[in-house]
Amino acid sequence: EKGKNYGFPWRFGNEANPQATPGYDPAKDVRITPDSSAAKAGHYYNDPSFPKAPGPFTDALANSGPSNVDYRGDDGSAHNAAADSRSLSTLTPHISPLGLVFTDKGYGSKPDQGQLHAFLLSWGASVGDLPDRGKDLMAVNFIKGAKGYTLTTEQLATGFNHPIDEVMVDGHLYVLEMGEFGPDPGNVSIWELSFS
């Protein structure tokens, strides 16, 4: 929402950034995946000069899945929020959501009265052993409640080559891929998806 502060970089989702905590030791942080590029580059560290949070923050939307709800728990292992009967704020870490398209027509069914839907791409993959590998198209359903919105996500298509944007034209969704980094992007396509 316009004018709201959702907390980055002081919060990731709805959790405090541990680097702002006095005495933080990244070597003991079980949520860090050692093979991630950020860990290898030394981007996690104790930062006594971390600026004070401007607060107050607005919580990210709670996602109850069933898709895009993988996370690393306090024990360092991979978890799925839907399987754990909880929600995640808001998507699997590191999948880099892009290309948000809103619609009130639903997908593959009759229009829902007063319900907002969206299509969302995930460019990359979660790091480490999180099962959600991204590079997919999600359907997002926004559910209005007394205290605002929550959402559900459902994977509709996968196997894209780093999808970066999408557009809806006459009921057809067009997805653009970026491909791999480097001089040879591999097979790059524009996909047309239609819903009956």
Side-chain angles (χ1 to χ4, degrees), residues 44-57:
Y44 297 104
Y45 54 91
N46 183 5
D47 188 356
S49 66
F50 204 92
K52 184 178 177 184
F57 296 129

Side-chain angles (χ1 to χ4, degrees), residues 99-112:
L100 183 64
V101 171
F102 287 99
T103 178
D104 60 359
K105 304 296 185 201
Y107 55 94
S109 62
K110 63 183 180 181
D112 292 312

Side-chain angles (χ1 to χ4, degrees), residues 74-88:
D74 292 333
D75 61 357
S77 66
H79 291 265
N80 180 281
D84 294 344
S85 298
R86 58 172 285 191
S87 59
L88 187 69

Side-chain angles (χ1 to χ4, degrees), residues 43-76:
H43 292 309
Y44 297 104
Y45 54 91
N46 183 5
D47 188 356
S49 66
F50 204 92
K52 184 178 177 184
F57 296 129
T58 299
D59 285 344
L61 295 180
N63 174 16
S64 58
S67 300
N68 304 96
V69 287
D70 291 339
Y71 69 99
R72 190 164 310 288
D74 292 333
D75 61 357

Side-chain angles (χ1 to χ4, degrees), residues 21-195:
T21 305
Y24 171 69
D25 182 356
K28 296 178 181 175
D29 190 339
V30 297
R31 291 186 172 185
I32 293 176
T33 305
D35 66 343
S36 71
S37 58
K40 290 178 180 177
H43 292 309
Y44 297 104
Y45 54 91
N46 183 5
D47 188 356
S49 66
F50 204 92
K52 184 178 177 184
F57 296 129
T58 299
D59 285 344
L61 295 180
N63 174 16
S64 58
S67 300
N68 304 96
V69 287
D70 291 339
Y71 69 99
R72 190 164 310 288
D74 292 333
D75 61 357
S77 66
H79 291 265
N80 180 281
D84 294 344
S85 298
R86 58 172 285 191
S87 59
L88 187 69
S89 301
T90 292
L91 300 169
T92 298
H94 302 288
I95 61 168
S96 301
L98 299 169
L100 183 64
V101 171
F102 287 99
T103 178
D104 60 359
K105 304 296 185 201
Y107 55 94
S109 62
K110 63 183 180 181
D112 292 312
Q113 296 294 330
Q115 187 160 341
L116 182 62
H117 302 279
F119 297 102
L120 182 65
L121 297 168
S122 64
W123 176 88
S126 56
V127 295
D129 61 352
L130 292 181
D132 186 351
R133 304 318 297 166
K135 301 181 185 179
D136 59 3
L137 170 70
M138 294 173 274
V140 181
N141 301 303
F142 293 88
I143 301 141
K144 187 165 184 158
K147 295 183 179 181
Y149 285 92
T150 59
L151 56 90
T152 62
T153 52
E154 179 184 351
Q155 188 181 65
L156 295 181
T158 187
F160 294 108
N161 191 356
H162 294 101
I164 58 169
D165 207 358
E166 62 184 325
V167 64
M168 180 76 79
V169 179
D170 296 329
H172 297 264
L173 192 65
Y174 295 89
V175 173
L176 173 66
E177 297 175 320
M178 184 190 92
E180 304 295 332
F181 289 108
D184 181 14
N187 293 325
V188 178
S189 302
I190 296 176
W191 296 90
E192 178 187 35
L193 295 91
S194 59
F195 306 92

